């Protein structure tokens, strides 16, 4: 990434004068939506920018190019318009003054934001990114309150902040190709909303409003000029949160200050490129390549834009002119008209945000794979946008960040306006969900806080190469009885990711100490991994994840037994030779955590405040060598790296199968032990026993398909004979009461056979 930054920095020393671009005017007309076409029949508006063809010809703009117009839909004069209109204002004011939750908390945040002291701009040459978006957020909240409560003091505070709004990106520096675009985007979006509310107050003189609009368009122009005209390679490379946040911020400027000659250009860019970037980052089944954390981060800007645009589009699909300047080379882009759906009602957008809920851990926070910290997202706002009750259920489940409405951008205003308080929370009807394209398999006993949960990763294609990726194919994360138990190493922050982003930071199998990797960790790290053969039999849910690296093909099979515990089988097939296979397990105990890890001969016992678990590992070749060691992970919040304990179980072999059992139980329940019954000669078997010895679970795998007999007399249990590739048998008081098996022609327990 630094090479790209350095490649473009040379172009900044002598930037050309700002140009408006030259539309070629060769686009064929697209049919207008029927309901709008009738209204325009008297004087056609071929490019649907709200300015008639005759007026465009008179103004010297192109009537067939939605980017070229003296204004964008000048008939849209309603104020405010970006979040709600004047007709909804009385209801919004009533919400602002409610004393019940979540409205009281949201209103308090809005007032606190407005009461904050604006940050000074100390450096005349370098743009203060923190100050610009902090101040814009203050202005947005003050202008909102000023409009609803007719408070001239708050209006004046917002006015003064926006009159001082920086007009350009500052002098050339590498920082322009790191964080500047995303933070300026946050500032522009908030400032656009603030302007919208200020106009609606009627308390600000026109010269001040004109100056504010000029400031915002000057900064928007500086951004467009650099990232679209001079150095488009940055957004071509960053077809991710950077470009999505930025183009939608420009779109917000165009929609809220729509009487400017650049308004149509910005709205056209925002609609076509947001559609493209969102499609680039997502899979057909809702996966988001940058991961859950950066989905939330991009949503800081995408959701406000989506809300504002829906107030204009009202569910209709509308044609816009797409350009190819910030598309990656080789995408086959041509400059043409494309029809853009209203994102607010787009089923694919819903599926992507629903993916967040699908993957949500039982405590209401996200799993922290890839560059993600464990945190909630804007589910309260999403419940209002989509009308889906499961977003409200997810929002209210999270108690670590109650009534979540603030990421880097504070969306408390939007959430207060749109939260559906009459929609009762309701969880999805599914529990387990296996999404092939997204590369995520969720095993879940239910939607309760104490549910047993496992996430298996099998990312490939777009979701592995779309950015912010870790080499984590086949990784598992486990949450049970209110505790995060088998963990990912998380993120920390962009500057800290190298401490936690490597293969060894994940619960996978390493080959000779190495995992999958490549030279562009922040873009497409790891090896393609695929979900296969997801199935159910008896009380078992199972799914395979297949990958290959270091000349070894691996199939990891996760089996969820009776909604109670997890079995993980790793089948490793090298192309030649022997290897040292290390099964790595990152446990949420020891180090800086509030849990403890006790090493055992076959794995470890993890104890946490609400629950505990045992881990046992065996192999079909030799008993693994087990050790524990300290490892790092990103804390739940942002920007902190802390430590936990990890377990490694290693075996040297050629072809091999590894068997692991993770058995959790709640605090106060009967504890468990795990023992290795077999770990050689093509069979691996583990026995989980309750401390009071009233029940046992035997779990075994075999390689050969030849019947094997296990002598369990040491444990007071009958012999078991089977050729099953997998079997799980529950004993109560020495009697088998439950049997599950795959690939078995024989399964005998004592004298009872089936």
């Amino acid at each position: 990434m630094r090479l790209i930054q350095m490649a473009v920095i040379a172009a900044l020393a002598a930037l050309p004068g700002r140009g408006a671009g030259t539309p070629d005017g060769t686009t064929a007309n697209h049919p207008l939506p029927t309901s709008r076409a009738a209204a325009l029949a008297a004087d056609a508006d071929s490019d649907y920018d709200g300015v008639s063809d005759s007026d465009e010809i008179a103004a010297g703009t192109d009537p067939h190019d939605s980017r070229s117009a003296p204004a964008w839909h000048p008939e849209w004069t309603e104020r405010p318009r970006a979040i709600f209109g004047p007709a909804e204002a009385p209801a919004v004011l009533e919400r602002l003054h409610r004393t019940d939750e979540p409205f009281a908390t949201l209103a308090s945040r809005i007032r606190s934001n407005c009461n904050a002291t604006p940050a000074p701009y100390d450096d005349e040459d370098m743009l203060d990114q923190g100050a610009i978006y902090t101040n814009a957020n203050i202005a947005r909240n003050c202008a909102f309150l000023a409009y609803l409560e007719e408070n001239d003091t708050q209006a004046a505070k917002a006015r003064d902040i926006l009159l001082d709004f920086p007009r350009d990106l500052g002098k050339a520096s590498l920082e322009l190709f790191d964080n500047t675009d995303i933070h300026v985007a946050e500032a522009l979006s908030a400032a656009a909303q603030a302007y919208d509310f200020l106009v609606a107050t009627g308390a600000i003189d026109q010269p001040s409003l004109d100056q504010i609009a000029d400031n915002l368009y000057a900064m928007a122009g500086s951004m467009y000029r650099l990232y679209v005209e001079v150095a488009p390679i940055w957004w071509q490379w960053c077809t991710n949160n950077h470009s999505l946040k930025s183009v939608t911020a420009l779109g917000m400027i165009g929609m809220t200050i729509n009487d400017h000659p650049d308004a149509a250009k910005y709205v056209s860019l925002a609609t076509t490129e947001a559609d493209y970037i969102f499609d680039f980052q997502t899979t057909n089944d809702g996966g988001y390549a940058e991961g859950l954390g950066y989905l939330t981060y991009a949503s800081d800007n995408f959701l406000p834009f989506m809300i504002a645009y829906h107030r204009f589009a009202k569910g209709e699909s509308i044609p816009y002119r797409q350009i190819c300047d910030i598309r990656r080379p080789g995408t086959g882009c041509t400059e043409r008209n494309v029809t853009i759906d209203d994102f607010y009602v787009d089923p694919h957008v819903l599926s992507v945000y629903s993916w967040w809920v699908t993957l949500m851990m039982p405590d209401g926070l996200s799993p922290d794979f890839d560059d993600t910290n464990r945190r909630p997202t804007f589910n309260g706002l999403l419940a209002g946008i989509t009308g889906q009750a499961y977003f409200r259920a997810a929002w209210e489940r999270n108690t670590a960040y109650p009534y979540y409405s603030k990421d880097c951008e504070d969306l408390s205003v939007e959430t207060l306006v749109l939260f559906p308080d009459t929609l009762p929370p309701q969880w999805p009807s599914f529990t387990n969900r296996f999404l092939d394209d997204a590369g995520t398999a969720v095993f879940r006993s239910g939607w309760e806080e104490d549910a047993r949960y496992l996430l298996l990763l099998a990312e490939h294609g777009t979701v592995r190469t779309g950015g912010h990726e870790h080499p984590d194919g086949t990784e598992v994360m486990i949450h049970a009885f209110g505790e995060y138990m088998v963990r990912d190493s998380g993120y920390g922050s962009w500057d800290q990711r190298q401490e936690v982003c490597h293969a060894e930071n994940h619960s996978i199998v390493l080959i000779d100490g190495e995992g999958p990797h490549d030279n562009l960790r922040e873009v497409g790290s790891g090896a393609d991994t695929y979900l296969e053969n997801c199935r159910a039999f008896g009380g078992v849910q199972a799914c395979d994840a297949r990958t290959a690296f270091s000349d070894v093909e691996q199939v990891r099979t996760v089996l969820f037994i009776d909604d109670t515990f997890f079995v993980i089988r790793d089948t490793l097939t090298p192309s030649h030779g022997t290897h040292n296979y290390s099964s790595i397990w990152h446990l949420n105990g020891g180090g800086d955590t509030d849990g403890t890890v006790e090493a055992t001969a076959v794995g470890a016992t993890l104890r946490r405040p609400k629950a505990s678990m045992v881990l046992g590992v065996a192999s079909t070749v030799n008993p693994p060598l087990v050790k524990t060691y300290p490892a790092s992970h990103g804390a739940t919040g942002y920007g902190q790296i802390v430590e936990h304990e990890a377990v490694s179980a290693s075996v040297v072999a050629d072809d091999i199968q590894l068997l692991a059992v993770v058995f959790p139980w709640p605090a106060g329940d009967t504890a468990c032990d795990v023992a290795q019954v077999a770990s050689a000669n093509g069979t691996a078997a583990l026995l989980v026993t309750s401390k009071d010895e009233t029940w046992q679970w035997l779990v075994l795998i075999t390689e050969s398909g030849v019947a094997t007999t296990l002598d369990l007399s040491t444990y007071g249990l009958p012999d078991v004979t089977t050729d099953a590739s997998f079997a799980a048998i529950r004993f109560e008081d020495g009697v088998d009461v439950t049997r599950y098996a795959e690939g078995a022609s024989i399964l005998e327990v004592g004298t009872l056979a089936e």
Side-chain angles (χ1 to χ4, degrees):
M1 183 173 287
R2 291 295 176 187
L3 292 176
I4 291 175
Q5 293 170 333
M6 294 176 68
V8 297
I9 194 66
L12 301 178
L15 294 178
R18 184 180 176 198
T22 306
D24 63 17
T26 59
T27 306
N29 295 345
H30 274 234
L32 296 174
T34 302
S35 60
R36 297 194 186 262
L40 296 168
D43 190 354
D45 177 13
S46 298
D47 54 6
Y48 193 61
D49 52 21
V51 181
S52 69
D53 291 0
S54 59
D55 286 345
E56 288 217 50
I57 293 170
T61 58
D62 188 339
H64 300 292
D65 187 339
S66 64
R67 300 168 300 164
S68 173
W72 181 77
H73 285 278
E75 81 283 357
W76 196 21
T77 58
E78 179 184 67
R79 295 290 184 186
R81 69 178 66 153
I83 305 174
F84 62 93
E88 296 96 343
V92 175
L93 179 62
E94 186 270 334
R95 286 178 165 225
L96 182 65
H97 292 160
R98 283 174 63 167
T99 58
D100 58 325
E101 297 293 3
F103 301 105
T105 292
L106 295 170
S108 177
R109 287 177 189 159
I110 293 167
R111 296 188 189 281
S112 177
N113 289 337
C114 175
N115 291 335
T117 300
Y121 298 108
D122 293 327
D123 191 329
E124 294 183 1
D125 295 324
M126 298 297 294
L127 179 67
D128 189 330
Q129 300 169 20
I132 189 174
Y133 77 79
T134 295
N135 293 347
N137 187 57
I138 295 171
R140 180 243 306 272
N141 286 272
C142 283
F144 170 74
L145 294 172
Y147 168 67
L148 288 176
E149 298 182 329
E150 300 180 356
N151 187 313
D152 289 350
T153 300
Q154 291 168 330
K157 183 176 182 178
R159 175 202 62 200
D160 292 346
I161 289 172
L162 297 183
L163 285 172
D164 196 34
F165 195 87
R167 294 174 57 84
D168 60 63
L169 297 172
K171 70 178 183 181
S173 73
L174 286 176
E175 188 67 18
L176 293 173
F177 301 97
D178 195 353
N179 294 320
T180 297
D181 57 346
I182 49 181
H183 294 319
V184 170
E186 291 157 1
L188 282 174
S189 182
Q193 292 174 325
Y195 175 87
D196 183 42
F197 286 125
L198 280 185
V199 175
T201 65
I204 306 301
D205 61 278
Q206 193 59 46
S208 292
L209 291 174
D210 291 344
Q211 183 60 57
I212 291 168
D214 192 60
N215 287 349
L216 299 186
Y217 264 96
M219 177 58 83
S222 181
M223 174 180 275
Y224 186 92
R225 177 184 170 211
L226 175 59
Y227 297 114
V228 177
E229 297 177 343
V230 175
I233 189 174
W234 178 244
W235 283 354
Q236 291 171 2
W237 178 257
C238 296
T239 310
N240 58 19
N241 70 90
H242 281 263
S243 49
L244 183 57
K245 289 169 72 73
S246 299
V247 298
T248 52
L250 291 173
M252 287 291 288
I253 294 295
M255 286 188 291
T256 54
I257 313 173
N258 58 323
D259 58 353
H260 191 280
D262 281 341
K265 178 173 69 176
Y266 293 159
V267 175
S268 191
L269 178 77
T271 51
T272 59
E273 296 314 293
D275 183 71
Y276 166 72
I277 297 162
F278 204 78
D279 283 348
F280 180 92
Q281 279 287 323
T282 59
T283 62
N284 290 332
D285 50 11
Y288 189 83
E290 285 192 288
L292 298 170
Y294 277 92
L295 172 60
T296 295
Y297 188 48
S299 298
D300 287 352
N301 290 87
F302 182 61
L303 290 180
F305 169 78
M306 189 168 75
I307 292 165
Y309 183 70
H310 174 66
R311 291 187 55 77
F312 164 74
K314 294 180 172 57
E316 292 190 4
S317 299
I318 298 169
Y320 291 94
R321 177 84 157 185
Q322 78 173 14
I323 60 172
C324 303
D325 302 56
I326 61 173
R327 304 283 178 94
R328 292 186 179 185
T331 59
C333 178
T334 58
E335 187 171 314
R336 60 191 176 90
N337 280 3
V338 292
T339 299
I340 303 300
D341 295 333
D342 183 349
F343 303 98
Y344 199 98
V345 296
D346 186 340
H348 181 59
V349 173
L350 172 62
S351 75
V352 172
Y353 286 106
S354 298
W355 180 67
W356 194 103
V357 177
T358 297
L359 269 57
M360 183 196 78
M361 287 186 161
D363 60 3
L365 302 181
S366 66
D368 49 352
F369 67 93
D370 294 341
D371 282 355
T372 294
N373 293 299
R374 283 198 4 102
R375 59 179 177 179
T377 194
F378 301 112
N379 283 319
L381 176 57
L382 287 164
I385 291 173
T386 67
Q388 297 296 326
Y390 52 78
F391 286 115
R392 177 172 181 176
W395 196 54
E396 294 177 349
R397 168 61 57 80
N398 152 54
T399 57
Y401 303 87
Y403 307 121
Y404 187 82
S405 61
K406 182 183 185 301
D407 184 61
C408 284
E409 193 86 341
D410 192 316
L411 304 188
S412 296
V413 169
E414 289 90 339
T415 307
L416 181 136
V417 171
L418 293 174
F419 176 71
D421 58 326
T422 61
L423 177 71
Q426 184 175 345
W427 293 107
S429 58
F430 63 85
T431 50
N432 305 299
R433 174 148 288 191
F434 310 134
L435 301 174
D436 296 346
D437 291 341
T440 54
V442 174
F443 300 82
R444 188 191 296 271
S445 64
W447 290 95
E448 303 81 11
E449 291 183 72
D450 64 351
R452 271 66 70 209
Y453 165 105
L454 182 147
L455 172 62
L456 168 65
L457 293 183
E459 297 169 296
H460 59 275
T462 297
V463 289
R464 190 183 66 79
T465 61
H468 288 283
E469 180 59 39
H470 291 195
D472 53 10
T474 76
E475 181 184 20
V476 296
M477 288 146 273
I478 296 175
H479 199 288
F481 299 108
E483 294 283 9
Y484 193 13
M485 293 188 153
V486 177
R487 65 165 305 122
D488 187 277
S489 291
Y491 180 38
S493 68
W494 175 252
D495 292 334
Q496 296 168 319
R497 72 184 306 273
Q498 289 298 324
E499 299 182 49
V500 295
C501 74
H502 306 293
E504 61 268 24
N505 300 116
H506 303 88
S507 295
I508 63 174
V509 176
L510 302 180
I511 312 298
D512 300 319
E514 297 288 333
H517 60 83
D518 63 21
N519 294 323
L520 295 172
R521 290 184 180 275
E522 70 269 24
V523 179
S525 194
D528 277 340
T529 308
Y530 300 87
L531 287 182
E532 298 177 339
N533 195 26
C534 295
R535 60 209 184 270
F537 56 95
V540 179
Q541 293 282 337
C543 206
D544 298 340
R546 176 177 54 84
T547 191
F549 62 92
S550 298
D551 296 320
V552 176
E553 182 174 289
Q554 177 189 1
V555 177
R556 167 163 281 190
T557 303
V558 170
L559 303 108
F560 188 22
I561 315 297
D562 274 354
D563 284 350
T564 301
F565 69 103
F566 302 97
V567 176
I568 295 89
R569 177 181 64 203
D570 291 296
T571 303
L572 299 141
T573 308
S575 59
H576 61 277
T578 62
H579 297 275
N580 187 346
Y581 302 104
S582 299
S583 180
I584 305 298
W585 297 86
H586 289 270
L587 304 184
N588 198 21
D592 300 304
T593 73
D594 56 353
T596 62
V597 174
E598 177 186 345
T600 68
V602 299
T605 300
L606 168 67
R607 294 183 175 88
R608 294 193 50 78
K610 296 179 183 177
S612 300
M613 59 159 265
V614 290
L615 165 70
V617 184
S619 89
T620 55
V621 175
N622 284 308
L625 175 64
V626 177
K627 67 175 184 178
T628 61
Y629 58 95
S632 298
H633 68 272
T636 298
Y638 186 82
Q640 185 180 6
I641 300 295
V642 293
E643 288 196 342
H644 62 277
E645 285 287 307
V647 176
S648 171
S650 301
V651 184
V652 176
D654 44 29
D655 291 10
I656 190 174
Q657 290 191 30
L658 299 173
L659 171 68
V661 170
V662 175
F663 201 107
W665 67 91
D669 207 348
T670 304
C672 305
D673 287 323
V674 61
Q676 202 173 82
V677 174
S679 194
N681 302 317
T683 301
L686 295 165
L687 184 69
V688 180
T689 303
S690 64
K691 289 285 191 180
D692 60 9
E693 299 185 350
T694 58
W695 58 261
Q696 292 93 2
W697 272 101
L698 174 69
V699 177
L700 65 89
I701 58 175
T702 66
E703 281 186 342
S704 63
V706 176
T708 299
T709 298
L710 298 178
D711 181 357
L712 303 178
S713 58
T714 302
Y715 307 99
L717 298 174
D719 295 351
V720 172
T721 300
T722 186
D723 61 353
S725 60
F726 160 79
I729 304 171
R730 178 179 172 89
F731 297 92
E732 293 180 2
D733 297 322
V735 178
D736 68 302
V737 296
T738 304
R739 302 181 188 182
Y740 302 122
E742 272 194 310
S745 63
I746 182 172
L747 178 56
E748 296 181 352
V749 180
T751 59
L752 180 66
E754 66 175 37

